[in-house]
Amino acid sequence: MRPLGIAALEDKIVQQAARTVLECIYEQDFLGFSYGFRPGRSQHRALDALYVGITKRKVNWIIDADIRGFFDNITKFGLELHPEKTRLIEFGRYAEERRAKRGDGPPETFDFLGFTHISGKTRRGDFTIHRKTSRKKFQAALPKLKEELSRRRHDDLTEVGAWLQSVFRGWCQYYAVPGNYARLRQFREALQVMWYRTLRRRSQRGRRLTWEKFSQLSRRWLPTPKILHPYPNARFAGQHPR
């Protein structure tokens, strides 16, 4: 363990001043497609730019790389992509058609910033990208929440409900994008099941808790999810008007 350090007001003022000065100096040197830790740029802005770039430009291939192994190999000539953690995916407007002619099946999917990107069609038959919470992110979240629920087993129901509500709200704030409603419902149902099973383990009385009675409690703290984000092309157009 290490002691927790809380910055003094003077330190915060100096940090803010240094950040402001450095941003003025270096911000102009960043390229337009750079989104990491820049003012006014978030993960969703990067996701929007990716969506618009693939759907509007002549993109035929995507490099899907595990960032942990992205720069594993270093030679005297520079950095190389790790061959076991990087794959080149045929993706884009014409990928499905080209692959069908070769008998290769539908385009592969790729994960980026917590979302699985899937080649698809709109109702009018136009090319689009469907996005859903990646299975890896979804499955990684549940064991941690189950452990925390178990730790809070005997806490007041109102406190546990408020905590679960904050967890679910935070999840929706990030993942509630158009086309991802099914995954939101799936996450909500997983939270319900874990909470229900935890409550039934509280005591002998808890074992008599029925799903119907629990549902009343669940609806109070875990409301039906809603899509919170606009379509990526609409938000991107608002940020970059022509």
Side-chain angles (χ1 to χ4, degrees), residues 40-241:
R41 301 208 175 200
S42 63
Q43 291 171 301
H44 276 285
R45 295 291 186 263
L47 288 163
D48 294 345
L50 176 68
Y51 178 95
V52 172
I54 295 176
T55 56
K56 301 299 182 182
R57 300 297 183 95
K58 295 181 179 179
V59 174
N60 297 318
W61 300 90
I62 297 291
I63 295 179
D64 183 25
D66 184 341
I67 197 66
R68 293 171 301 176
F70 202 82
F71 297 121
D72 279 358
N73 289 338
I74 301 178
T75 68
K76 64 180 180 179
F77 299 107
L79 302 175
E80 294 182 351
L81 298 177
H82 193 292
E84 296 180 0
K85 298 181 179 179
T86 308
R87 60 192 180 120
L88 193 62
I89 299 174
E90 190 173 17
F91 205 87
R93 184 176 300 276
Y94 305 106
E96 183 176 354
E97 180 181 348
R98 290 195 300 265
R99 292 176 64 85
K101 288 182 179 179
R102 299 196 304 266
D104 290 340
E108 294 182 82
T109 65
F110 67 92
D111 290 352
F112 181 64
L113 294 180
F115 289 92
T116 298
H117 293 67
I118 308 165
S119 178
K121 300 286 186 182
T122 65
R123 293 181 179 179
R124 297 188 304 178
D126 300 325
F127 169 71
T128 189
I129 301 173
H130 299 305
R131 302 177 300 172
K132 65 179 182 179
T133 308
S134 70
R135 183 180 298 275
K136 182 178 180 180
K137 291 291 184 180
F138 188 91
Q139 293 181 340
L142 297 183
K144 298 177 183 178
L145 292 173
K146 182 179 180 181
E147 181 180 352
E148 182 63 18
L149 264 176
S150 180
R151 191 183 69 81
R152 296 170 178 256
R153 180 186 305 173
H154 299 289
D155 290 358
D156 182 76
L157 287 180
T158 301
E159 294 180 3
V160 178
W163 170 71
L164 279 174
Q165 186 181 67
S166 68
V167 169
F168 186 56
R169 185 185 296 117
W171 185 269
C172 289
Q173 285 289 339
Y174 187 78
Y175 289 108
V177 302
N180 196 33
Y181 186 79
R183 268 282 203 255
L184 298 178
R185 286 289 301 268
Q186 186 179 359
F187 185 72
R188 177 179 180 269
E189 291 168 0
L191 289 180
Q192 284 180 306
V193 171
M194 286 192 295
W195 194 14
Y196 177 63
R197 291 176 176 174
T198 300
L199 291 178
R200 284 176 57 86
R201 295 191 184 102
R202 290 181 66 165
S203 63
Q204 289 295 114
R205 183 180 178 183
R207 295 183 184 277
R208 296 194 296 269
L209 178 66
T210 65
W211 180 261
E212 289 74 17
K213 187 175 181 179
F214 167 76
S215 296
Q216 298 176 7
L217 176 68
S218 176
R219 283 193 295 269
R220 176 185 176 187
W221 298 109
L222 299 174
T224 302
K226 297 179 180 179
I227 298 301
L228 303 178
H229 292 275
Y231 283 93
N233 52 342
R235 182 162 53 192
F236 186 86
Q239 291 288 317
H240 305 278

Side-chain angles (χ1 to χ4, degrees), residues 2-17:
R2 63 182 180 85
L4 179 64
I6 301 177
L9 176 60
E10 293 81 359
D11 294 335
K12 293 181 180 179
I13 294 175
V14 172
Q15 291 170 2
Q16 178 65 30

